[in-house]
């Protein structure tokens, strides 16, 4: 995908595929030189920000859970949670996970 601005057209995003690999990338500079800008699906593994994922989900960098002030704010923002979701509750300073039936403190 290209962007056409006053300086001409330059590539800003791409989708590529080959045997056992699918890559989605973006780079507003048009160079595509950093895997940090990629989502890679390779041989049943997914990488975010990494060129060759080693695990089912391999993320380069920090994973930031959703942050909510209290249980009421959490419940309003997530009316239909699914098992395995994680958030951080700032009032109780607790990580919480959804069991499939209820939210439970994880620490």
């Amino acid at each position: 995908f290209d962007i056409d601005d006053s300086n001409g057209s330059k590539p800003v995003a791409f989708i590529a595929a080959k045997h056992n690999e699918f890559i989605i990338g973006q780079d507003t500079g048009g160079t595509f030189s950093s895997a940090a800008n990629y989502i890679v699906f390779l041989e049943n593994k997914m990488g975010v920000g990494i060129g060759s994922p080693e695990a089912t989900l391999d993320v380069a960098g920090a994973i930031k859970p959703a942050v909510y002030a209290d249980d009421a704010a959490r419940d309003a923002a997530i009316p239909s949670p699914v098992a395995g979701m994680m958030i951080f509750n700032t009032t109780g300073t607790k990580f919480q996970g959804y069991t499939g039936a209820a939210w439970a403190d994880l620490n």
Side-chain angles (χ1 to χ4, degrees):
F1 304 97
D2 292 346
I3 185 171
D4 191 2
D5 59 17
S6 60
N7 296 320
S9 180
K10 64 181 176 181
V12 295
F14 72 94
I15 299 172
K18 61 182 181 180
H19 181 71
N20 290 329
E21 185 173 15
F22 181 76
I23 303 171
I24 301 170
Q26 66 86 29
D27 186 336
T28 56
T31 61
F32 305 103
S33 58
S34 173
N37 298 325
Y38 299 168
I39 298 172
V40 177
F41 301 92
L42 176 64
E43 298 176 355
N44 297 321
K45 299 173 189 158
M46 179 181 171
V48 178
I50 190 164
S52 297
E54 299 294 323
T56 302
L57 175 60
D58 197 351
V59 179
I63 297 174
K64 182 179 176 184
V67 177
Y68 299 100
D70 55 32
D71 293 348
R74 177 202 63 213
D75 294 343
I78 311 171
S80 301
V82 296
M85 291 182 85
M86 290 178 52
I87 63 105
F88 185 75
N89 184 313
T90 59
T91 300
T93 62
K94 298 283 185 181
F95 285 98
Q96 295 177 323
Y98 193 70
T99 67
W103 288 98
D105 290 344
L106 303 177
N107 63 323

